[in-house]
Every structure is written in C-alpha cells, then in structure tokens.
Amino acid sequence: MQYLLLVYIDPSLIGQLSEAEFDTHMRHCLQHADELQAKGCLLGYQQLEPTDTAKAVRVRSGRTSVVDGPFAETKEMLAGFNLVEADSMDEAVRLAQEFPWTRYGCIEVRPVRDVGAVRVRVGA
C-alpha cells in the first residue's frame, strides 16, 4: 500500500540550526532517500518552497479568490513529501521516524486512496 509522508517543519526550530547542521541533516536525508528508492520503497519525493511563495485559490458562490500565503496561523509549515510503499501503517510510521525532520516538526503519515477503485465506484 502507498502512504504519503507529509513533512511539516517549525521554521523557528530549523532557524536555530547552523548552516552546517542543516546541510548535514539534508545530506543524510538525501542519502537515505537514495537508499529507500534503491529498495523500491520510496516512490517519489519533493521539497516545497516556503509558504510565503504560495497562493491559495478558493471558489465560493461562483467567485474566485486568490490569496498570498501563508494561509494559517500555525507553528509548522508543509515543507515537502515522500511517497512510500509499505506493507502497513506501522511500517510507514517506522519509515517516517528515520527522517531527521521529525525533530523539527512532524511527519504526518496518510494512506493513499486507490483512485482506480473510486473511478469504478463513481463510473468515471
């Protein structure tokens, strides 16, 4: 089953790291990602630019609103994601624990819905 590991970071905690410390974490993270990809466990991953570069798009009552980010009053921001293949939620959680970013925010582990099954159910 596929799981999405949503990486949230607290910018104030990340900001306390020296450039060398951050680079060490990033190097470890990328090397670990390479290992997981080689095992066929990590299917894809990306980092996101900071929230102040984002836009939120909403349509309400036929009217479109586009607002500059950040959008929520929260300590943590979505910084990236990893798409993994795991046998269980427990295994996906174990994979999330292996990334250093859990010390500077959290990694939300979410099962990926089978869109093929949804397509069949709704007749699309």
Side-chain angles (χ1 to χ4, degrees):
M1 180 166 191
Q2 292 182 353
Y3 294 85
L4 192 61
L5 310 183
L6 296 161
V7 180
Y8 291 89
I9 59 164
D10 182 334
S12 67
L13 293 176
I14 291 289
Q16 294 174 15
L17 296 174
S18 70
E19 188 174 339
E21 289 173 313
F22 179 83
D23 288 353
T24 297
H25 284 315
M26 185 55 66
R27 187 170 33 262
H28 165 74
C29 186
L30 292 170
Q31 290 168 344
H32 186 56
D34 292 343
E35 293 166 4
L36 291 174
Q37 276 190 314
K39 292 178 185 176
C41 185
L42 181 62
L43 306 177
Y45 63 96
Q46 287 294 327
Q47 289 181 301
L48 300 175
E49 292 294 341
T51 56
D52 62 359
T53 66
K55 304 264 186 207
V57 179
R58 291 180 178 85
V59 177
R60 302 291 186 271
S61 301
R63 298 187 62 150
T64 300
S65 138
V66 180
V67 181
D68 291 339
F71 318 112
E73 296 296 323
T74 179
K75 287 174 65 174
E76 297 173 342
M77 64 174 213
L78 182 60
F81 65 88
N82 298 284
L83 180 61
V84 300
E85 183 75 37
D87 292 332
S88 66
M89 175 62 88
D90 289 341
E91 182 183 355
V93 167
R94 184 189 58 73
L95 290 170
Q97 291 171 334
E98 295 175 359
F99 288 94
W101 313 119
T102 55
R103 292 184 291 243
Y104 306 99
C106 77
I107 297 180
E108 179 182 349
V109 180
R110 303 253 319 254
V112 174
R113 184 169 288 164
D114 180 352
V115 176
V118 173
R119 182 178 295 278
V120 169
R121 184 178 59 81
V122 301

